[in-house]
Amino acid sequence: AFRLTQSVDLVRLQSALDQVIARHRILRSTYQSRQQKVVQVISSESSYQVEQITAQPGEALETAQREARRPFDLCEGPLVRLVHIQEQPRGETLLLLVIHHILADETSLAVLWRQLADAYTGETSQTQADIQFDDFVYWQADQGDPSRERELEYWRRRLDPLPDTLILPFEKPGPGGGRQPGRLLSKRLASDLRSSIPKLAGTTSSTPFIVLAFAFRLLLERYLPGQRLAFATPVSTRSHPSTVDMIGYFLNSMVITTSIDEGQPAREALRSFAQELIELLGHVSVPFHALAEALLPPRQPDRHPIYQVMFVHKRQQDSVMLGNAHLEPLELDLRESKFDLTLFVSEGADRLDLAVEYREDRFDQVWIEQLMGHYETLLAGLVTDPNRPTAAIPMLTSAEEQQLT
């Protein structure tokens, strides 16, 4: 979602949307069941209307959150909605692009906004892209079963034995409900971490992503010492040059079970962790659903199979220009959580933002706020003195330390 700093021409915006929809077949797709198989159906119709909603004073953000939660009909479509929300009288204006996750990943959304902006100013052609996501899917399928079986065998070895069900010590007792109501909490991390994390990465053959993931794995180890733990992180499968500006879903969940030896100096433990993650990244072509089908993990109705928590590292969303209108990105709390807990670290030009999306039927807010403080403390300790033993890196916040003295 974006907040508009000035009004946009809705006629030009409609024309821009028509051009972008016409360019990408996947945006005109629905999915239907035929002979016990789900098939993609591509419509020749590309006229999707920009929806216009008038919100009451002070209710634009709430309206956007409600529109973002409104379900799609996979069979009927459309699976893309562009919504213009105008708060009356002359309040703020929001622009919301909602797309079903089966169609697009976060990179695709950035491509969509860029192409919308280009079409709005008349800087793009109306021709279809030469190679599209369905072409890529067919090409990928043609790679054959032998390579798929080799990758599956790799993951069978990596995940044998299967990880323990991850149950954090502050989880509420009792089974969760069928629906997964969620909450999103966020905070700005200490400003010096933005520059110190890349420096540490440069001296440990790693990357900022690996440093941040290492701190998350260390956090889980502190909460659940000695258990065989797993978390997952989304990784891009845009390995072919033609997929750079392609609209489609190119994410796969990479399961991480790498343990940490807290007796090692933190720098060495991080370097070992980095080597294992780099190896894992070479084996992400198998979709997670295929992996789950091959491993047949025990099923629990209210738990995700194999892993229950996610770590997501992403670049902060760039602002967008529609003509002279500046669009400022907004974070929406959709009040849902696909996993028990997902920790997001968003990297901007001069800051790091931390957010946690969690199931309210599993965790109370006070414990999630404590978890966020512990994660920041571990990060700060890691970059301040990476030569000390990993076990010596503090986790408790200064306020918690004072309570203990």
Side-chain angles (χ1 to χ4, degrees), residues 1-4 8 10 13-14 17 48-55 60-70 72 78-87 92-99 113 116 322 327 330 332:
F2 290 90
R3 178 181 286 112
L4 277 69
V8 295
L10 292 177
L13 183 60
Q14 179 66 63
L17 178 64
Y48 290 12
Q49 295 300 310
V50 176
E51 300 182 29
Q52 300 179 48
I53 297 178
T54 299
L61 185 59
E62 181 182 339
T63 302
Q65 291 171 334
R66 185 170 59 250
E67 286 299 308
R69 292 193 298 266
R70 181 154 57 95
F72 291 101
L79 304 182
V80 181
R81 295 194 295 262
L82 185 60
V83 186
H84 180 273
I85 302 171
Q86 176 66 61
E87 195 174 85
E92 68 176 358
T93 304
L94 305 183
L95 198 58
L96 177 68
L97 179 64
V98 190
I99 185 167
W113 278 114
L116 272 171
L322 281 180
L327 277 61
L330 284 174
L332 297 181

Side-chain angles (χ1 to χ4, degrees), residues 2 13 25 54 89 93-94 121 142 283 325 349 355 360 368:
F2 290 90
L13 183 60
R25 292 193 295 266
T54 299
T93 304
L94 305 183
T121 56
D142 285 342
H283 298 273
E360 288 188 297
I368 300 302

Side-chain angles (χ1 to χ4, degrees), residues 77-320:
L79 304 182
V80 181
R81 295 194 295 262
L82 185 60
V83 186
H84 180 273
I85 302 171
Q86 176 66 61
E87 195 174 85
Q88 295 296 332
R90 295 189 175 182
E92 68 176 358
T93 304
L94 305 183
L95 198 58
L96 177 68
L97 179 64
V98 190
I99 185 167
H100 195 286
H101 69 268
I102 201 172
L103 303 189
D105 54 21
E106 192 162 339
T107 299
S108 297
L109 289 177
V111 172
L112 271 174
W113 278 114
R114 186 173 70 246
Q115 293 185 359
L116 272 171
D118 289 344
Y120 185 84
T121 56
E123 298 177 7
T124 187
S125 68
Q126 299 187 37
T127 58
Q128 288 198 22
D130 293 333
I131 302 177
Q132 304 210 15
F133 186 66
D134 51 339
D135 300 315
F136 175 78
V137 171
Y138 287 126
W139 171 81
Q140 198 175 43
D142 285 342
Q143 299 307 295
D145 292 335
S147 61
R148 171 68 62 89
E149 187 53 41
R150 286 195 298 271
E151 292 294 280
L152 283 173
E153 184 56 33
Y154 172 85
W155 284 105
R156 287 189 186 99
R157 293 195 304 270
R158 289 286 312 190
L159 298 175
D160 183 19
L162 287 170
D164 300 327
T165 298
L166 197 151
I167 302 176
L168 291 168
F170 43 82
E171 184 173 313
K172 295 178 183 179
R179 186 174 170 270
Q180 299 185 6
R183 180 83 186 276
L184 183 71
L185 295 182
S186 59
K187 67 175 293 187
R188 179 72 45 83
L189 293 177
S191 58
D192 59 328
L193 288 174
R194 177 63 185 83
S195 57
S196 54
I197 288 173
K199 291 177 182 177
L200 176 60
T203 64
T204 54
S205 303
S206 62
T207 64
F209 157 71
I210 292 177
V211 174
L212 293 162
F214 176 83
F216 184 58
R217 178 62 185 85
L218 183 56
L219 177 69
L220 296 178
E221 181 66 28
R222 295 289 178 85
Y223 287 148
L224 298 166
Q227 291 193 26
R228 179 166 167 73
L229 304 177
F231 68 97
T233 191
V235 295
S236 175
T237 57
R238 291 177 184 263
S239 57
H240 196 279
S242 65
T243 63
V244 173
D245 286 331
M246 190 178 290
I247 305 298
Y249 190 82
F250 290 91
L251 291 182
N252 195 12
S253 294
M254 183 174 77
V255 183
I256 300 171
T257 57
T258 305
S259 59
I260 294 176
D261 181 356
E262 292 207 57
Q264 284 186 306
R267 187 185 300 277
E268 296 308 313
L270 174 57
R271 186 175 282 113
S272 299
F273 185 82
Q275 290 173 350
E276 288 217 32
L277 255 62
I278 291 169
E279 177 187 319
L280 292 178
L281 287 166
H283 298 273
V284 295
S285 61
V286 177
F288 177 78
H289 69 82
L291 181 60
E293 289 172 2
L295 295 177
L296 295 175
R299 295 284 182 166
Q300 301 180 52
D302 60 341
R303 300 274 186 186
H304 192 274
I306 301 179
Y307 64 91
Q308 292 77 48
V309 298
M310 288 280 286
F311 170 80
V312 180
H313 172 243
K314 61 180 182 177
R315 301 283 182 180
Q316 287 175 357
Q317 193 173 19
D318 293 329
S319 59
V320 175

Side-chain angles (χ1 to χ4, degrees), residues 331-361:
E331 192 79 48
L332 297 181
D333 183 357
L334 301 184
R335 308 295 300 202
E336 295 176 349
S337 182
K338 184 177 180 180
F339 303 99
D340 287 4
L341 182 149
T342 302
L343 186 141
F344 300 88
V345 181
S346 301
E347 185 176 343
D350 57 356
R351 69 179 194 267
L352 284 175
D353 289 334
L354 176 65
V356 176
E357 182 182 83
Y358 65 96
R359 287 180 57 171
E360 288 188 297
D361 61 342

